[in-house]
């Protein structure tokens, strides 16, 4: 079973974000906060297209060279874990082999690294982390969380997940979280409790199938927004 002891830097691309979160062209014009984005290239590529994206992650407290070192240190570990657990993943269009996986991920992370210093200077990469974010209520139109909440269920625990989901709902009118699986490929035990928490305080919550699947069975996102935001 694929497992990691700690959260590791492993970035996805702009195209993957569009498919993971079923982002329409109109969504890309919104004020977006990415939570726990790490070395993803979404911010860099969205900014080139005129988007307004802010990303927060504790990894952004480090200089570019330190992040490069962390990526290099974890790359082989993740690729080898994937090789040993290849049956947990869907190999096809976009990523056909384990070698191609490494190439695709490293390409995305290089785009991030090329943008990192400028992005920090412009305030697009902020050293902040869930479950407490330094933003005003409803500061953003949409919050995205890729491969962090729910994925690291055993590492982060129930209390963290419930608080993190509420916090994203506080700072953004709409929240999308992908995937709903934990490491190892099972649906996170915290999905249902978070759905209940949100509905209990008046959020509209849906579980939606998206046009992306790499973890086998991982083709759903959680989407929620306040009833006032949807009116």
């Amino acid at each position: 079973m694929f497992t990691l002891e700690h959260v590791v830097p492993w970035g996805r691309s702009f195209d993957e974000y569009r498919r993971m979160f079923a982002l329409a062209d109109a969504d890309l014009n919104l004020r977006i906060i990415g939570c726990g984005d790490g070395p993803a290239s979404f911010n860099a590529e969205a900014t080139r297209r005129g988007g307004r994206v802010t990303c927060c992650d504790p990894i952004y407290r480090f200089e570019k060279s330190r992040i490069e070192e962390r990526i290099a240190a974890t790359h082989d570990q993740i690729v080898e874990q994937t090789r040993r657990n290849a049956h947990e993943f869907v190999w096809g269009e976009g990523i056909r082999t384990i070698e191609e996986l490494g190439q695709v991920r490293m390409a995305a992370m290089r785009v991030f690294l090329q943008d990192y210093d400028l992005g920090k200077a412009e305030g697009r990469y902020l050293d902040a982390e869930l479950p407490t974010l330094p933003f005003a209520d409803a500061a953003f139109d949409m919050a995205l969380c890729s491969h962090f909440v729910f994925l690291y269920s055993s590492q982060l625990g129930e209390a963290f997940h419930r608080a993190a989901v509420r916090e994203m709902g506080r700072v953004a009118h709409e929240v999308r979280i992908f995937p709903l699986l934990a490491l190892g490929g099972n649906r996170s035990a915290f999905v249902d409790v978070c759905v209940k928490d949100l509905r209990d305080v008046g959020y509209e919550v849906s579980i939606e199938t998206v046009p992306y699947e790499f973890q086998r069975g991982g083709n759903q996102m959680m989407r929620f927004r306040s009833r006032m935001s949807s009116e």
Side-chain angles (χ1 to χ4, degrees):
M1 182 177 71
F2 190 106
T3 187
L4 296 166
E5 292 183 10
H6 308 288
V7 178
V8 297
W10 197 235
R12 275 82 184 174
S13 69
F14 178 86
D15 178 65
E16 287 181 293
Y17 266 61
R18 289 206 66 163
R19 291 184 288 135
M20 289 188 297
F21 295 111
L23 294 172
D25 289 344
D27 294 327
L28 298 171
N29 295 322
L30 301 175
R31 297 168 300 160
I32 296 174
I33 176 70
C35 300
D37 278 338
S41 66
F42 177 70
N43 191 319
E45 296 185 75
T47 299
R48 290 177 190 168
R49 292 165 167 81
R52 295 172 292 167
V53 178
T54 302
C55 296
C56 59
D57 194 298
I59 200 174
Y60 304 149
R61 72 190 56 167
F62 299 114
E63 298 298 319
K64 175 180 173 180
S65 59
R66 288 284 305 279
I67 298 175
E68 286 183 288
E69 290 170 3
R70 292 191 63 183
I71 290 170
T74 57
H75 173 273
D76 291 348
Q77 175 193 5
I78 296 174
V79 169
E80 180 55 30
Q81 279 261 28
T82 307
R83 190 184 307 280
R84 293 202 306 263
N85 299 281
H87 61 282
E88 295 182 15
F89 301 93
V90 176
W91 304 98
E93 182 182 357
I95 301 176
R96 293 164 292 187
T97 66
I98 292 167
E99 289 71 25
E100 191 169 6
L101 169 66
Q103 294 167 4
V104 168
R105 293 285 178 267
M106 289 303 295
M109 290 187 280
R110 280 193 294 270
V111 172
F112 159 79
L113 289 167
Q114 290 165 2
D115 181 60
Y116 181 61
D117 288 338
L118 176 62
K120 280 194 75 172
E122 293 177 344
R124 291 187 286 109
Y125 297 111
L126 300 178
D127 171 15
E129 59 187 302
L130 292 168
T132 304
L133 299 175
F135 306 116
D137 294 357
F140 299 92
D141 300 308
M142 183 180 295
L144 305 177
C145 187
S146 161
H147 293 84
F148 179 52
V149 168
F150 300 135
L151 188 70
Y152 289 93
S153 288
S154 62
Q155 293 84 350
L156 297 174
E158 180 176 334
F160 171 87
H161 279 77
R162 297 173 79 169
V165 167
R166 288 194 300 269
E167 181 71 346
M168 286 187 283
R170 181 185 70 79
V171 303
H173 291 290
E174 180 178 323
V175 180
R176 301 183 190 186
I177 304 171
F178 178 92
L180 306 186
L181 303 183
L183 289 168
N186 294 319
R187 181 183 170 95
S188 170
F190 305 137
V191 171
D192 290 341
V193 71
C194 288
V195 168
K196 183 179 185 303
D197 281 352
L198 292 166
R199 287 177 174 161
D200 284 349
V201 294
Y203 284 95
E204 293 182 347
V205 188
S206 59
I207 304 299
E208 301 179 13
T209 299
V210 299
Y212 180 91
E213 182 181 6
F214 184 56
Q215 267 184 298
R216 192 170 297 281
N219 63 345
Q220 292 184 318
M221 71 172 176
M222 177 188 291
R223 178 180 180 182
F224 65 91
R225 55 187 172 179
S226 67
R227 291 195 174 93
M228 290 182 62
S229 298
S230 61
E231 291 176 354

